[in-house]
Amino acid sequence: MNSQTQRPATPWPLIVLFFVILVSAILTGLLFYRSQKEHLLSTSIQELSAISDLRVRQIVQWRNERIADGTYLSQNVTLVRQFSKLMKNVNDRKLKENLRSDLKALVENYDYRNALLIDRECNARLFYPDTDTLIGDYLMARIPDVIHKGEVVLTDLHLTGKVSFVHLDLLVPVKNYENKGTPVIGLIVLRIDPYKVLYPLVQSWPATSKTSETLLFRAEGDEIVYLNELRHIKNTEPFVRRSVTQEKLAASMALQGIRESTDAIDYRGVPVIASMKKVPDSPWYMVAKVDREEILNSLNEKVGLISLVVILFILATGSFLGILWRNQRVRFYRGKYESELNRLALVRHFDYILKYANDIILLTDKDYNIVEANDRALETYQYSREELIGMNISKLRAGISAAKFFDDVKIINEEGHYTFEAVHRRKDGATFPIEISARLVEIEGTKYYQSISRDITERKKVEENLKQSEDRFRKVFEDSPFGMAMTGKDLGIIKANSAFCEMMGYKEEEVLGLTFKNFTHPGDISEDEISLLRLVAGEIPIYHTEKQYVRSDKSIIWGSTTVSIIRNYKGEVQLFFAMIEDITSRKIAEAELEKSFSLQKATLESTADGILVVDNAGKIIQHNQKFAEMWRIPDEVLRLNDDKAALDYVITQLKQPESFMQQVKHLYSDPEAVTYDLLEFSDGRYFERYSQPQKLGGKSVGRVWSFRDITRRKKAEADIIAAKEKAEESDRLKTAFLHNVSHEIRTPMNAILGFSTLLNEPGVTDADRQQFTDVIFQSGNQLLSIINDIVDLASIESGQVKINMKEINLNTTLRRINDQFSYKEKPQKIIVSLSAPLPQEDADIVTDGTKLVQIISNLINNAFKFTKRGKIDFGYTLAGEFLEFYVKDTGIGIAPEHQPKIFDRFYQVDSAVSRRYTGTGLGLSICKAYVELLGGRISVASDPGEGATFSFTIPYIKKSES
Ligand code: ADP
């Protein structure tokens, strides 16, 4: 690229755009100017037309008003009469005065300058004021015609030598209506001064304007006579004249009959816009006109402004486009600058690459002489630049490479490029392998060889290492006692070692192409597949399993298998590597072991004893279910395998935990000891405990404990002892009973027999006999009571006693008992008192009344028997659903040790032999049996020496409830 010749392109589009805008702006300006001009002119024409119309109407009106004035005057009878009189008598002063004042009134009130009265002969007879009283030629010529016609006439504007000012006359004929022969007796001439009304009327303009003007004129032959004062020709003689031949003259155009408004020139020859009119009923024409220049003046001001706007617009557009162009240029040059910078950077970059490249870069000419070498080359070959430049590159070669030089060059020449390995030599003679990429290049027509080479010593070393490592791996692979196999991505085996082939019973060439599925036991295939998928997905780093293989002879072996995956640098699966250890014998041993374990477990669990195995540290090794049950150790504690917690459980249950701990300690000091002992629990259980050491290789490693629950046995033993004791006690009681019974029976029997004998003795008085029969009667009663008791007891014991439930009134029943005992003959003074708190109606109950009376009577009898003094209270209270009866005495009481026994049959507190009290020891046991039959319980409370209270309950069954 030649930067000098590069120029930014001429911005043609911008230039064309600018000119288009320029022309458009100018055209727009011109069009605008034209339209404005036309608008102004047409507006002015309309205005002029309107103004001239108005003027013409006003002039016509003015003229009509004047003629109307004249007509009115001519018909004024008073004036006509007076004028007529004056004609007859011209010297009548008074008349003259009157008429003069009339004339005066006319002149002063209207726009008349003079008023004259003239006779038919044109002599002025009366006038007012006194100036300009003469009749001029102009008028003279017209008077006869007026007198002749008798009509009011308004003359044209004129100037007569005799009258000093421009004027027009209103000629009013005065008619004598009385004299028919000469109707017109004279004239009233009223001279109108046009400066008063007419000219101002003509010249007035509705808007201020410098050049606007209305012209009133008439034609006189070839001339146009301007009647009014001209705005632009001041102080000249009246009635300026112009020739009608001036075609463009507005007045000429008016005479030619042109009536529309148009361009014209005025009396000065200046271009104007004019509106032409004819004043009807008069010789007058009218032109209203304004200088064209004035009309266009405002436009000219606008033109300046428009031009300014257009110029500014063009300038702004030009500047904008200029800036645009400038920016384009700046961009262009910046782009150029940047690309130049890039180019320089690139050049420098290549220089750097060349200089500092990690590869050796050499350029040689066609004769293989080095012309350029980079730093890396100098560093590698250890030559200085001067030495290397110019050196023939073949000299760098060593060994066989040197001989191959021309072969290699040939290939480069033919192919254009060639990559090959060679051996090069450094300056010090050391050789090294090198990889050369050589290329034929042409620089400006000359042939060069460029070579990029790399010292590949390291690579060669790595390759060597790799090869060695591969060899080692192959050796390990081949010689490994473990089966090893590699499969491709398709899981087909591509290599397997001899151990693998032997394990599976195949020859090496037979396994190639097979997959692991071919060897795997059908039961393990699906798990294999899942795990391989996970391995491929990277979810697991390796897949390890113990599974069964089917050998070629269909026998089954167990293999501990580890599969790993080998991936390439992209993470894609390259190979699967499997290593298999034959664990068949281990599996068989394990199965045997399991069998023996299960046997042991079954044995352990089938025994009724609790078994516990601990190690020498006291840690629980094993226990059976029974053990946990016996020791009531919760499963969760055992499951925790927390020996301390288990021991705590054991200890809390024992009756003597301290001694247990001592025994445990003793066992640790003598691990060989075989023990037997009995454990007693606080809840009454008994365990027999055996222990013996568990030995391994003749050495104690732990201890096996067995526990046998002997609680039942212990209880049975205790029961036997109790029964024996009871039988012995019963024997003793029976002996005592027999003693008692024989005593109790013998005593009344002796009395009966003795006194019966005495009855027959002579000398017995009646009183004695009476006494003897009483004794016999009492003794008989006593005997009967004893026999009754024995019979009752026998009935109770044989289960013949039946309860006979009936309605009774409790209160009445108790009162009867009370009465019975109150009248009883008593040796001591003992008061019996009853407490029956229930109201009579609530005391109707259902029970066995006979039994109830028997119980209470029995208790009261006992109370009497064991009470020497004091009182006996009895009665009942209501305690919930039970009635609680009591019999309370103040007698000898019962020592606490006797209290539980007194309800036993034949039991008496006093020994049978040395008894002080009568009785069989049956009463309370009968009471107890009856109370229980009625559905209650009996008890005693007593302080010895203070008295005893017997209480019993029966259900409170109200009558209505039965
Ligand atoms: P006994 O026929 O001997 O009275 P019981 O069975 O009625 O036979 O009484 C048994 C024993 O209970 C009596 O021998 C007596 O020692 C004692 N006992 C019964 N009632 C009383 C009492 N109210 N006060 C003191 N001891 C009593």
Side-chain angles (χ1 to χ4, degrees):
M1 181 187 358
N2 190 344
S3 61
Q4 296 304 312
T5 57
Q6 283 281 323
R7 288 263 184 277
T10 313
W12 285 117
L14 290 184
I15 293 169
V16 169
L17 183 66
F18 177 71
F19 277 106
V20 168
I21 292 170
L22 184 72
V23 170
S24 307
I26 291 169
L27 279 178
T28 310
L30 283 176
L31 284 174
F32 182 71
Y33 171 76
R34 276 187 66 160
S35 77
Q36 285 292 311
K37 189 175 159 188
E38 276 166 18
H39 173 71
L40 272 177
L41 288 176
S42 75
T43 313
S44 300
I45 286 167
Q46 278 173 14
E47 269 177 20
L48 280 177
S49 198
I51 290 167
S52 59
D53 275 345
L54 181 70
R55 289 288 167 272
V56 169
R57 273 203 305 280
Q58 285 171 336
I59 291 167
V60 170
Q61 194 185 350
W62 178 82
R63 281 179 65 94
N64 290 342
E65 278 173 8
R66 295 288 73 77
I67 290 174
D69 277 358
T71 310
Y72 171 72
L73 264 182
S74 72
Q75 290 169 357
N76 188 325
V77 177
T78 316
L79 190 74
V80 170
R81 262 194 208 139
Q82 283 184 350
F83 190 59
S84 171
K85 275 183 190 167
L86 187 72
M87 289 295 121
K88 287 171 191 164
N89 186 6
V90 283
N91 294 323
D92 188 343
R93 286 178 64 94
K94 192 160 176 5
L95 194 62
K96 266 188 171 178
E97 271 310 306
N98 281 344
L99 277 171
R100 244 179 93 89
S101 65
D102 283 346
L103 293 182
K104 187 184 176 198
L106 272 174
V107 168
E108 284 176 357
N109 290 329
Y110 299 94
D111 56 343
Y112 304 122
R113 183 156 169 172
N114 290 54
L116 292 100
L117 289 180
I118 55 174
D119 57 20
R120 286 173 63 95
E121 284 77 38
C122 300
N123 299 315
R125 295 286 179 187
L126 201 64
F127 38 80
Y128 179 86
D130 291 339
T131 51
D132 298 319
T133 54
L134 296 175
I135 307 295
D137 298 336
Y138 180 83
L139 205 58
M140 261 329 174
R142 280 161 181 80
I143 287 170
D145 192 41
V146 174
I147 289 170
H148 175 71
K149 285 181 181 164
E151 286 173 358
V152 177
V153 170
L154 184 65
T155 68
D156 203 343
L157 281 159
H158 61 273
L159 186 70
T160 347
K162 291 174 184 166
V163 182
S164 61
F165 56 93
V166 175
H167 65 277
L168 48 118
D169 296 315
L170 180 69
L171 303 179
V172 180
V174 180
K175 290 178 186 170
N176 188 351
Y177 296 102
E178 293 158 5
N179 188 351
K180 303 282 178 197
T182 51
V184 178
I185 54 170
L187 294 174
I188 301 170
V189 176
L190 293 168
R191 281 191 181 140
I192 299 166
D193 181 358
Y195 289 93
K196 264 190 175 174
V197 176
L198 185 63
Y199 284 174
L201 186 73
V202 170
Q203 279 161 357
S204 72
W205 202 262
T208 44
S209 166
K210 278 183 193 159
T211 61
S212 59
E213 191 175 15
T214 315
L215 303 173
L216 204 62
F217 60 91
R218 67 169 180 263
E220 261 184 42
D222 286 345
E223 277 183 340
I224 292 155
V225 181
Y226 293 102
L227 299 174
N228 62 331
E229 202 180 31
L230 300 181
R231 187 171 186 175
H232 302 290
I233 305 177
K234 295 261 182 212
N235 304 325
T236 51
E237 82 282 12
F239 303 137
V240 175
R241 288 166 189 272
R242 291 286 184 271
S243 168
V244 290
T245 53
Q246 276 185 288
E247 261 184 38
K248 273 294 192 181
L249 197 64
S252 301
M253 289 162 112
L255 291 181
Q256 283 161 30
I258 295 168
R259 290 291 173 265
E260 71 264 28
S261 306
T262 181
D263 281 342
I265 52 169
D266 71 352
Y267 51 87
R268 293 167 296 164
V270 172
V272 294
I273 301 292
S275 174
M276 285 71 77
K277 296 280 184 278
K278 167 104 178 61
V279 182
D281 304 327
S282 80
W284 296 348
Y285 293 86
M286 208 183 77
V287 166
K289 53 103 186 167
V290 181
D291 282 7
R292 212 178 147 81
E293 197 190 324
E294 187 189 332
I295 295 170
L296 296 182
N297 241 351
S298 66
L299 184 64
N300 289 342
E301 281 166 18
K302 271 190 189 166
V303 165
L305 202 66
I306 293 164
S307 309
L308 192 66
V309 169
V310 169
I311 289 164
L312 283 178
F313 176 71
I314 291 166
L315 282 177
T317 314
S319 314
F320 174 72
L321 294 176
I323 289 166
L324 218 61
W325 183 52
R326 191 179 162 277
N327 283 353
Q328 270 182 3
R329 275 166 58 94
V330 166
R331 258 203 304 281
F332 173 80
Y333 283 117
R334 188 176 295 150
K336 262 174 69 67
Y337 174 70
E338 279 169 5
S339 65
E340 184 63 16
L341 266 188
N342 285 344
R343 198 185 66 81
L344 275 176
L346 209 63
V347 167
R348 201 156 298 165
H349 180 64
F350 279 119
D351 281 350
Y352 273 114
I353 289 177
L354 200 67
K355 199 162 173 6
Y356 300 114
N358 213 20
D359 292 332
I360 301 158
I361 302 172
L362 294 173
L363 194 69
T364 58
D365 61 16
K366 60 181 191 330
D367 302 322
Y368 322 122
N369 294 322
I370 296 168
V371 293
E372 183 57 65
N374 70 346
D375 288 2
R376 183 71 180 162
L378 305 179
E379 200 181 299
T380 309
Y381 294 110
Q382 297 170 348
Y383 287 106
S384 69
R385 178 172 291 275
E386 291 70 34
E387 287 170 333
L388 204 59
I389 304 287
M391 183 188 275
N392 196 292
I393 199 165
S394 63
K395 287 196 178 143
L396 292 174
R397 295 213 170 191
I400 336 163
S401 284
K404 269 186 78 220
F405 179 75
F406 287 102
D407 296 343
D408 295 337
V409 168
K410 198 172 161 222
I411 297 173
I412 300 169
N413 285 335
E414 280 169 11
E415 303 279 328
H417 59 91
Y418 181 36
T419 302
F420 56 97
E421 286 182 12
V423 179
H424 273 198
R425 191 200 311 275
R426 288 186 229 281
K427 188 180 180 185
D428 62 4
T431 58
F432 60 94
I434 190 163
E435 186 187 68
I436 303 168
S437 171
R439 184 170 285 278
L440 196 59
V441 291
E442 224 179 80
I443 301 171
E444 294 178 0
T446 317
K447 212 165 84 176
Y448 290 92
Y449 297 97
Q450 178 203 274
S451 71
I452 299 174
S453 330
R454 186 171 291 175
D455 182 345
I456 55 170
T457 314
E458 283 305 314
R459 199 174 83 191
K460 286 279 172 193
K461 249 189 230 166
V462 169
E463 278 172 11
E464 184 59 28
N465 285 347
L466 208 62
K467 195 169 162 299
Q468 279 176 12
S469 136
E470 242 178 55
D471 289 347
R472 273 199 295 273
F473 172 75
R474 189 170 297 113
K475 198 162 167 47
V476 169
F477 187 81
E478 289 303 339
D479 300 347
S480 170
F482 301 114
M484 289 184 188
M486 275 190 280
T487 74
K489 277 189 279 191
D490 59 351
L491 302 177
I493 292 175
I494 52 178
K495 199 165 175 53
N497 68 356
S498 47
F500 179 85
C501 298
E502 217 168 278
M503 214 180 267
M504 300 303 168
Y506 287 90
K507 287 196 189 117
E508 201 169 332
E509 57 274 17
E510 288 173 339
V511 295
L512 296 181
L514 295 181
T515 69
F516 266 66
K517 239 183 188 176
N518 297 101
F519 313 113
T520 304
H521 189 275
D524 291 331
I525 286 176
S526 66
E527 196 209 319
D528 261 10
E529 282 173 348
I530 293 166
S531 301
L532 279 178
L533 284 176
R534 293 183 62 204
L535 192 67
V536 172
E539 281 177 32
I540 45 172
I542 56 162
Y543 162 43
H544 180 81
T545 181
E546 288 185 356
K547 62 174 190 168
Q548 287 171 293
Y549 289 95
V550 183
R551 300 183 77 240
S552 63
D553 60 3
K554 304 293 174 218
S555 59
I556 306 278
I557 58 161
W558 275 90
S560 166
T561 310
T562 305
V563 183
S564 54
I565 209 162
I566 296 164
R567 297 175 191 270
N568 66 5
Y569 70 99
K570 286 188 211 158
E572 292 162 348
V573 176
Q574 295 294 101
L575 297 170
F576 290 97
F577 182 80
M579 195 166 88
I580 305 160
E581 183 189 358
D582 187 344
I583 53 165
T584 313
S585 44
R586 196 190 86 197
K587 280 282 171 185
I588 293 167
E590 275 175 11
E592 286 297 320
L593 207 64
E594 202 180 327
K595 215 157 86 185
S596 106
F597 263 135
S598 79
L599 187 67
Q600 182 208 7
K601 190 150 178 65
T603 316
L604 210 62
E605 293 300 339
S606 63
T607 167
D609 292 342
I611 308 281
L612 172 72
V613 184
V614 293
D615 65 9
N616 270 348
K619 190 169 172 57
I620 295 173
I621 303 299
Q622 205 175 10
H623 65 88
N624 65 355
Q625 187 60 31
K626 190 75 189 163
F627 168 80
E629 282 168 16
M630 283 171 73
W631 284 95
R632 295 170 185 165
I633 303 174
D635 273 356
E636 56 269 24
V637 174
L638 279 171
R639 232 179 283 128
L640 281 176
N641 211 3
D642 184 346
D643 308 310
K644 173 90 176 55
L647 188 67
D648 286 348
Y649 254 87
V650 169
I651 287 172
T652 52
Q653 297 177 54
L654 288 168
K655 201 166 183 187
Q656 288 175 306
E658 304 81 14
S659 71
F660 176 82
M661 290 307 287
Q662 274 165 7
Q663 285 165 25
V664 170
K665 274 182 196 152
H666 162 70
L667 281 172
Y668 284 128
S669 63
D670 182 10
E672 302 292 324
V674 175
T675 68
Y676 162 75
D677 61 354
L678 189 68
L679 295 176
E680 194 181 351
F681 289 80
S682 46
D683 64 355
R685 289 183 301 150
Y686 289 91
F687 286 180
E688 269 180 350
R689 179 173 65 165
Y690 301 90
S691 84
Q692 68 171 40
Q694 182 201 351
K695 290 195 174 173
L696 211 65
K699 236 188 122 193
S700 158
V701 291
R703 182 162 288 275
V704 181
W705 296 92
S706 82
F707 302 89
R708 179 166 297 167
D709 190 341
I710 55 160
T711 313
R712 271 210 208 136
R713 203 175 80 196
K714 276 276 179 197
K715 199 164 178 304
E717 281 172 13
D719 284 353
I720 289 166
I721 291 165
K724 190 173 149 248
E725 279 172 1
K726 194 149 189 193
E728 281 167 7
E729 166 77 357
S730 175
D731 270 359
R732 196 179 57 76
L733 287 173
K734 265 183 206 151
T735 316
F737 171 70
L738 287 174
H739 275 270
N740 272 359
V741 168
S742 59
H743 169 75
E744 292 298 324
I745 292 174
R746 207 179 297 126
T747 312
M749 279 295 276
N750 283 341
I752 291 166
L753 290 172
F755 282 100
S756 311
T757 318
L758 282 178
L759 275 179
N760 295 326
E761 289 287 319
V764 177
T765 63
D766 281 350
D768 289 340
R769 191 171 292 122
Q770 184 60 44
Q771 197 190 344
F772 294 161
T773 49
D774 278 355
V775 171
I776 291 166
F777 182 72
Q778 267 180 15
S779 299
N781 266 349
Q782 202 179 337
L783 204 58
L784 186 68
S785 146
I786 291 163
I787 290 163
N788 276 346
D789 274 0
I790 291 169
V791 170
D792 281 353
L793 190 72
S795 312
I796 289 164
E797 294 245 306
S798 63
Q800 286 167 2
V801 178
K802 293 276 173 311
I803 292 297
N804 186 13
M805 300 292 264
K806 264 199 262 166
E807 284 176 19
I808 60 159
N809 187 280
L810 187 60
N811 290 356
T812 312
T813 309
L814 291 187
R815 252 179 247 127
R816 230 178 265 141
I817 297 173
N818 189 32
D819 289 349
Q820 197 182 323
F821 280 99
S822 299
Y823 298 118
K824 188 174 169 171
E825 193 187 321
K826 293 164 284 194
Q828 318 88 3
K829 194 149 176 71
I830 292 169
I831 305 155
V832 179
S833 64
L834 163 68
S835 163
L838 278 183
Q840 192 68 7
E841 64 274 16
D842 289 343
D844 285 329
I845 61 163
V846 176
T847 189
D848 186 334
T850 319
K851 300 263 170 351
L852 183 64
V853 171
Q854 200 175 336
I855 297 162
I856 296 170
S857 303
N858 230 334
L859 293 175
I860 296 175
N861 269 326
N862 273 357
F864 269 113
K865 203 151 72 181
F866 297 103
T867 305
K868 293 283 172 281
R869 68 190 74 84
K871 55 175 185 168
I872 296 169
D873 294 329
F874 79 104
Y876 66 91
T877 55
L878 185 61
E881 294 177 351
F882 285 88
L883 288 164
E884 187 171 329
F885 294 87
Y886 62 89
V887 177
K888 185 174 184 280
D889 63 46
T890 52
I892 62 168
I894 305 159
E897 65 271 22
H898 294 298
Q899 286 175 14
K901 295 179 185 167
I902 55 170
F903 295 102
D904 291 347
R905 277 171 292 151
F906 309 119
Y907 192 86
Q908 292 175 311
V909 171
D910 258 352
S911 83
V913 195
S914 60
R915 319 178 25 89
R916 279 168 290 170
Y917 304 98
T918 58
T920 55
L922 289 176
L924 285 180
S925 59
I926 292 167
C927 285
K928 187 172 180 248
Y930 284 174
V931 167
E932 283 169 4
L933 277 171
L934 289 176
R937 297 172 72 89
I938 191 163
S939 62
V940 66
S942 171
D943 284 334
E946 297 292 319
T949 305
F950 284 85
S951 311
F952 69 92
T953 57
I954 61 164
Y956 176 44
I957 307 167
K958 279 182 81 176
K959 185 176 139 193
S960 54
E961 292 172 9
S962 63

